[in-house]
């Protein structure tokens, strides 16, 4: 299980601000996203949601390690 | 990465002190200062707005803001930068973001402020949920040029 | 020529109240505000400056500033503008000019402030005499990219 | 005689903030400038100094009438 932080519309979609993705580390970012998509509310994710690992933007093929801080990032709308 | 030209970066919940931000980039070497303010306006996409909830992934938002400020300063010698973004519930007229940039000359100061607000809107993890007069609320989604209605 | 979008134009001797200028362009319809400040800097053309005397042809300076503000507002619907230029003896760090522009969106606000400072430098009858550390003084002459020494 | 307002470096050049140009109105702006150039300090004027009539920029061939407010304008340096 990999803990994932959720924000804004994604927190609304999953009904939580944090959840455990049913996948083990190490794994690729896109593997984590697929695991999240299978959870209740996961169908509301876009095709390629943004992910941050350790507070840095992560590509779909980046590797998540045990202990990493992982966040699923909705389309940003600051300013 | 040490960067003394980035005078101040923060994501805050209290009202932004614009005068303090201007003071943060004041220097005897500065001949021009550009301040950009984002404010909550009463209408968006044709709907009457009463307020906005801003939410941030706080530590990453601050580190992205700081990275933008550093990159901007690295590309233009002599820039001084201070940035604050506010989160929480803001009402119409409230300042959501303030960007202060100073330089010896006006063109770099003006260009710097513009670059920072454009980059901020691209890559800083902050979100806003608009509150409408009819009680409805929606997260703003710039990738669809509109909003995703909730509940 | 009535122009409610030009909120305030003045050539003043007292310090410029930047907060009041921002308040003059605040409106529920505004989503972005751009403020430009010109300040006296300690070095110009390689010479150490201690202060600047600004002189204006007061009534024409105000009417030219007002014309610039009106033309800028006429070309971009929804802009609100407030401008002050200070005259008299200013010291390093003092604000000589402040231009506040607001609009629903950020690009017109940023473009508006830039246009006004560029036009101001072209056509508003204001002059500055720099005071140097060595006691010398000179009127700045942008047409020769330098200064005309006096005395 | 046409009264003329002087500022900044031009006031320094003529040693006055106001003087009477030795020419009668109505006359052209460039005629006024030539008359000023003949006065003590007038050689310090540039080839085509800017002139304002009634607080508006005036071309060299504009006509100055009796009672107009005339100003000789050094290169501007506001901001």
């Amino acid at each position: 299980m990999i803990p994932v932080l959720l924000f804004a519309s994604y927190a609304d979609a999953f009904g939580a601000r944090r959840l455990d993705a049913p996948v083990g580390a190490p794994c690729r970012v896109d593997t984590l996203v697929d695991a999240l998509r299978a959870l209740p509310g996961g169908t509301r994710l876009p095709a390629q949601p943004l992910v941050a690992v350790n507070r840095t933007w992560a590509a779909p093929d980046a590797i998540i390690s045990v202990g990493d801080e992982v966040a699923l990032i909705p389309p940003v709308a600051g300013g | 990465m040490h960067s003394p030209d980035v005078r101040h970066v923060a994501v805050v919940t209290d009202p932004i002190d614009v005068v303090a931000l201007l003071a943060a980039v004041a220097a005897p070497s500065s001949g021009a200062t550009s301040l950009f303010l984002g404010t909550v306006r009463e209408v968006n996409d044709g709907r009457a707005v009463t307020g906005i909830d801003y939410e941030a992934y706080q530590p990453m938002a601050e580190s992205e803001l700081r990275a933008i400020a550093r990159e901007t300063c690295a590309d233009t010698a002599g820039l001084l930068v201070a940035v604050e973004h506010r989160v929480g519930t803001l009402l119409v007229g409230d300042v959501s973001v303030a960007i202060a940039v100073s330089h010896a000359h006006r063109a770099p100061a003006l260009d710097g402020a513009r670059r920072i607000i454009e980059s901020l809107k691209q890559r800083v993890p902050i979100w806003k949920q608009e509150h409408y007069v009819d009680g409805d609320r929606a997260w703003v989604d710039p990738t669809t040029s509109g909003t995703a209605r909730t509940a």
Side-chain angles (χ1 to χ4, degrees), chain A, chain B:
Chain A
M1 306 289 263
I2 298 177
V4 178
L5 303 175
L6 302 170
F7 300 94
S9 59
Y10 292 176
D12 288 353
F14 288 101
R17 304 191 65 76
R18 181 191 173 103
L19 55 70
D20 288 321
V23 63
C27 81
R28 286 167 51 116
V29 163
D30 51 9
T31 304
L32 173 97
V33 169
D34 289 343
L36 291 170
R37 208 183 295 283
L39 296 179
T43 55
R44 290 167 65 181
L45 291 179
Q48 297 204 323
L50 298 170
V51 173
V53 176
N54 297 327
R55 305 171 184 176
T56 302
W57 298 106
D61 62 353
I63 301 299
I64 297 166
S65 303
V66 174
D68 281 349
E69 179 175 308
V70 179
L72 200 58
I73 310 282
V76 302
Chain B
M1 187 166 46
H2 184 61
S3 184
D5 294 347
V6 178
R7 294 296 179 93
H8 177 76
V9 172
V11 174
V12 301
T13 52
D14 289 334
I16 294 173
D17 183 341
V18 169
V19 171
L21 218 66
L22 287 172
V25 299
S29 57
S30 291
T33 302
S34 180
L35 174 75
F36 177 83
L37 302 179
T39 50
V40 176
R41 62 197 178 97
E42 64 189 348
V43 174
N44 194 24
D45 283 331
R47 296 186 75 184
V49 171
T50 59
I52 295 182
D53 277 340
Y54 278 89
E55 180 180 337
Y57 178 15
Q58 169 92 22
M60 183 175 170
E62 286 199 348
S63 69
E64 284 292 307
L65 270 182
R66 188 171 297 277
I68 291 167
R70 283 175 171 159
E71 290 163 18
T72 304
C73 288
D75 285 352
T76 306
L79 278 188
L80 300 178
V81 172
V83 185
E84 280 195 3
H85 200 300
R86 189 176 172 196
V87 293
T89 300
L90 277 65
L91 304 179
V92 172
D94 284 347
V95 174
S96 54
V97 61
I99 299 165
V101 178
S102 75
H103 191 269
H105 303 290
R106 65 188 182 282
L110 289 161
D111 291 342
R114 183 184 295 250
R115 171 173 168 175
I116 291 170
I117 183 61
E118 297 299 336
S119 296
L120 184 158
K121 286 177 172 279
Q122 292 296 319
R123 58 184 263 203
V124 176
I126 295 178
W127 306 274
K128 55 186 169 194
Q129 186 180 49
E130 293 179 336
H131 306 184
Y132 304 106
V133 170
D134 60 11
D136 199 11
R137 297 185 172 206
W139 292 102
V140 175
D141 181 354
T143 64
T144 61
S145 297
T147 51
R149 202 169 302 184
T150 59

